[in-house]
Amino acid sequence: MGILARLFRGVINEVADDAVRTMARDQYIENIFEMVPAAKKVNPIYLAEIMMRAKQGIPVSRPLGSHIRFSAWEKLMFNPVHLFRFPTPENFGINTSVQIGPKARKPLRLTIPIMFAGMSFGGALSKSAKIALARAATLAGTATNTGEAGLLEEEREAAQLLIGQYNRGGWLNTPEKYKRLDAIEIQLGQGAQGSTNQRTAAKNIGEDYREVFELTGGQDAVIHSRLEGVHTKEGFINLVRELKNEAGVPVGLKIAATHYLEKEIEIALEAECDFITVDGAEGGTHGGAPILEDDVGLPTMFAVSRAAQFLTKKGANREVSLIATGGLVTPGYMLKAMALGADAVYIGTAAVMAMLSDQSTKTLPFEPPTDMVVYTGKRTGLLDIDKAVQNVFYFLNACVREMEMVAVTTGKVSLSDIDRNDLVALDPFLSKALNIDLGYVSPENQEMFFNGFERIGIMNKESVPVVTH
């Protein structure tokens, strides 16, 4: 064994020496090292996608959404208390429950404020993955979401609370389906793809997918840019009222976060939506064009803050629930979104990663673990559903326990009591944009501090500080 090890080390050493000599000798333009500055200039991700576009001639379909972290959640901190307000006693249970659509005939009552986002069967996840999420949600006392799909019977049976998307593909839009839901979410867009149309080719659609979506042989699955029959705001208002009357469950709107947010919410309020889901630009997806993931929409942090402040301004914040989603991958991110005004959050990518957890060893290092959970994956049979359920349930439990710790240190008895007054910003721009104090100066000196900035032109419209990530 020692001889083989020395031989192997000798070969590697000779290869490395030859590579260094070649790199030092060759002109830069023909030097393999030229790829290093090129990749640094272009970004390795963009470089790979340039090559894919050049080879395939069609938009790249990138999984899991944008790699860019638009929301600087790490620049917000919670404020612990000691004497000003006392911490919550350790023997006092923290209330983690929440109601979605409190004014609906049958509000959606959750034990915890974390739900699973709309990840469709077929269009995104395998049947096993959807069943695992539904079972984990039931154990945790929360809801899971159908995504843009038809009604998967196994998911309905496994989920005590199921939110279904009245979608632009039309697959869940009939009374016999949406009357079996615990909440209806009218899906007009998502953070990773805006409101653009999408298509799944018939060759990627299996028999079970075809059955749930009620597609004929050879028929593509098409998500339109608009909801069929809704071409005016009056059409949307009529649809919401019709669904509320027929189903009696909370009816809400899901949109991609946008700078037109307040205009969109205004119409949702006029329609008497029970909840509004805002999906930030960090939202995940089964696969989307990089231009939609990286260059369209509004970051989750700013979208949630603006939506919450607008609902408060309209006096609707106690009647209309706000759900935040998009890139919320830690309990800290989730709770900060709630502190900015969300009543509950959706998670997607984090839930999938939690589901895989230690099962990732079944595919690594030669295949990605997601190959076990996406519908088109070749290794979906490897997913142990029972273990996936346990992993996701443990993940939710750990997240909520950590959120409870913040409630204790901020002196609160309920997660829903934590608000923007319990936050402080570490960036002047975020402080002003989110309407929370800047941590660098005392509360009584905030106005004087920012007045000083304005006098020297730092906080005016022509010169806004850049938030670095």
Side-chain angles (χ1 to χ4, degrees):
M1 188 67 180
I3 296 175
L4 289 175
R6 286 194 295 273
L7 179 61
F8 181 74
R9 285 170 61 92
V11 170
I12 293 298
N13 184 65
E14 182 58 34
V15 170
D17 290 350
D18 184 63
V20 171
R21 286 192 294 267
T22 301
M23 184 177 66
R25 181 185 66 245
D26 288 355
Q27 294 289 326
Y28 220 137
I29 195 65
E30 58 187 33
N31 199 313
I32 188 63
F33 189 79
E34 192 269 342
M35 289 296 292
V36 175
K40 184 177 180 181
K41 177 180 180 179
V42 179
N43 179 315
I45 296 172
Y46 301 150
L47 180 60
E49 290 172 355
I50 286 172
M51 297 169 69
M52 293 177 194
R53 292 185 183 101
K55 179 66 175 177
Q56 301 167 16
I58 57 175
V60 174
S61 183
R62 184 205 291 155
L64 300 180
S66 180
H67 58 93
I68 303 172
R69 295 179 60 222
F70 298 107
S71 298
W73 294 110
E74 71 277 6
K75 291 185 178 292
L76 302 183
M77 303 294 285
F78 289 105
N79 301 318
V81 295
H82 305 90
L83 294 172
F84 156 71
R85 184 174 65 238
F86 281 83
T88 306
E90 61 269 20
N91 59 353
F92 198 101
I94 302 298
N95 181 13
T96 64
S97 65
V98 65
Q99 277 195 109
I100 303 299
K103 295 296 183 180
R105 292 206 305 270
K106 294 183 286 186
L108 184 67
R109 294 181 171 88
L110 308 174
T111 303
I112 63 173
I114 308 171
M115 301 180 289
F116 298 135
M119 297 176 283
S120 67
F121 162 66
L125 298 181
S126 68
K127 183 179 292 186
S128 296
K130 291 295 287 179
I131 292 171
L133 289 176
R135 286 175 52 188
T138 297
L139 281 176
T142 190
T144 191
N145 191 304
T146 64
E148 294 175 285
L151 189 63
L152 178 64
E153 287 296 336
E154 292 89 340
E155 181 179 30
R156 176 64 279 188
E157 291 171 9
Q160 182 180 0
L161 299 174
L162 181 63
I163 301 173
Q165 288 189 343
Y166 191 99
N167 58 74
R168 293 170 288 145
W171 304 300
L172 199 60
N173 302 4
T174 56
E176 62 269 18
K177 294 178 181 177
Y178 61 67
K179 284 185 178 181
R180 297 177 61 194
L181 302 170
D182 300 292
I184 300 171
E185 185 174 70
I186 303 174
Q187 208 273 25
L188 298 186
Q190 63 184 91
Q193 296 187 328
S195 52
T196 194
N197 56 294
Q198 303 164 54
R199 179 183 297 271
T200 301
K203 65 180 181 179
N204 295 322
I205 299 176
E207 187 57 39
D208 52 356
Y209 184 157
R210 194 172 302 283
E211 180 180 345
V212 171
F213 284 64
E214 297 181 350
L215 300 171
T216 60
Q219 182 182 359
D220 294 346
V222 180
I223 297 173
H224 306 285
S225 59
R226 294 185 181 186
L227 198 62
E228 185 177 359
V230 177
H231 304 292
T232 64
K233 80 168 189 176
E234 288 76 20
F236 174 75
I237 291 170
N238 291 335
L239 172 62
V240 172
R241 292 176 179 173
E242 178 183 329
L243 293 174
K244 284 166 66 76
N245 289 333
E246 286 191 26
V249 300
V251 176
L253 168 67
K254 178 182 178 179
I255 57 173
T258 168
H259 192 51
Y260 304 123
L261 195 59
E262 291 79 5
K263 297 179 186 295
E264 305 282 6
I265 295 176
E266 185 80 69
I267 296 172
L269 293 179
E270 190 175 346
E272 300 179 347
C273 284
D274 295 302
F275 65 93
I276 296 169
T277 302
V278 178
D279 193 6
E282 298 96 328
T285 182
H286 69 287
I291 193 171
L292 297 176
E293 296 178 354
D294 298 346
D295 303 292
V296 173
L298 191 69
T300 304
M301 175 189 288
F302 304 109
V304 172
S305 180
R306 282 175 52 177
Q309 291 185 75
F310 186 74
L311 288 174
T312 299
K313 177 182 176 182
K314 291 293 182 178
N317 56 306
R318 296 187 182 277
E319 299 180 356
V320 180
S321 303
L322 177 62
I323 303 173
T325 184
L328 303 176
V329 296
T330 74
Y333 290 6
M334 300 172 203
L335 191 57
K336 287 171 185 177
M338 291 175 61
L340 289 176
D343 295 284
V345 300
Y346 276 129
I347 61 171
T349 301
V352 170
M353 296 305 172
M355 179 163 45
L356 292 167
S357 189
D358 55 343
Q359 295 197 62
S360 300
T361 56
K362 295 178 180 179
T363 62
L364 292 173
F366 301 110
E367 300 292 341
T370 49
D371 201 38
M372 289 188 286
V373 295
V374 297
Y375 179 78
T376 54
K378 298 177 181 178
R379 291 164 178 78
T380 54
L382 295 179
L383 185 73
D384 184 324
I385 296 180
D386 291 336
K387 183 172 287 189
V389 172
Q390 177 180 291
N391 287 345
V392 176
F393 174 69
Y394 279 6
F395 173 72
L396 290 177
N397 185 64
C399 286
V400 174
R401 290 283 298 276
E402 289 186 44
M403 294 162 80
E404 289 174 346
M405 291 175 180
V406 175
V408 170
T409 198
T410 55
K412 301 299 177 72
V413 297
S414 172
L415 295 184
S416 61
D417 289 338
I418 299 173
D419 59 26
R420 65 182 67 229
N421 293 316
D422 296 299
L423 290 172
V424 67
L426 303 181
D427 182 283
F429 168 69
L430 290 180
S431 173
K432 297 295 281 185
L434 303 176
N435 192 27
I436 60 178
D437 277 358
L438 177 66
Y440 299 152
V441 294
S442 64
E444 59 268 22
N445 287 332
Q446 296 285 314
E447 184 176 354
M448 181 171 56
F449 177 84
F450 284 108
N451 285 342
F453 268 117
E454 290 170 0
R455 280 197 297 274
I456 61 176
I458 292 180
M459 292 299 292
N460 61 26
K461 293 181 180 179
E462 287 72 36
S463 180
V464 176
V466 175
V467 180
T468 57
H469 297 266

